[in-house]
Amino acid sequence: MTAPGGEAAATAAVIAADDERIRATLAGDIDALRGIYAEDLVYVHASGVQDTQASLLANVKEGPVRYRDLRREQAQVRIFGDTAVMNGSFTADVVMNGADRSFPASFTSVWVRHGTGWRTTAWQATSTRKA
């Protein structure tokens, strides 16, 4: 159970952790991402491709996609003790196999409190691109 008044602080901490995830992704900061993504991470991209922590970090470091911008356009965070669920939308501007692309999507991420910080244990994105 979150302490009285602690829900607002926990919500702010999760949003700050997600802001750091975005910064680290754009910078290719593998060490920071290793601290943000839990060892048992399940990361499902909008394409349906599934990654573990190790495979996601390898892709950020050397994969065919380079992030130019990640914009979280809206988000809601719900706190359940030491677990937080964030839902929202984002747009990723990337260079994929040499071509510029933009991907709007909805997402759900699950964060778990570890010590004094929060780590992502699950991420699921769904494309919202118009057909």
Side-chain angles (χ1 to χ4, degrees):
M1 197 77 187
T2 304
E7 190 167 313
T11 296
V14 169
I15 290 171
D18 195 54
D19 288 344
E20 176 60 11
R21 178 190 66 82
I22 292 168
R23 184 214 60 80
T25 300
L26 292 172
D29 187 341
I30 302 305
D31 290 333
L33 290 171
R34 188 173 288 110
I36 293 166
Y37 291 129
E39 289 83 7
D40 62 350
L41 175 71
V42 175
Y43 191 105
V44 182
H45 299 266
S47 64
V49 171
Q50 184 171 314
D51 273 314
T52 63
Q53 184 206 53
S55 64
L56 181 63
L57 295 179
N59 282 332
V60 169
K61 185 175 181 179
E62 299 175 359
V65 176
R66 292 286 166 247
Y67 290 91
R68 290 186 301 117
D69 196 17
L70 284 171
R71 295 179 305 284
R72 185 181 59 233
E73 286 137 5
Q74 62 90 20
Q76 173 189 16
V77 178
R78 293 171 289 147
I79 304 295
F80 304 96
D82 287 337
T83 303
V85 177
M86 179 186 280
N87 304 85
S89 62
F90 71 95
T91 299
D93 294 331
V94 302
V95 177
M96 180 182 290
N97 298 318
D100 288 337
R101 306 206 187 234
S102 185
F103 296 98
S106 295
F107 73 92
T108 299
S109 59
V110 179
W111 296 77
V112 177
R113 190 185 327 252
H114 287 268
T116 59
W118 291 86
R119 298 184 79 188
T120 307
T121 191
W123 169 273
Q124 169 77 53
T126 301
S127 176
T128 57
R129 180 181 299 164
K130 305 281 190 254

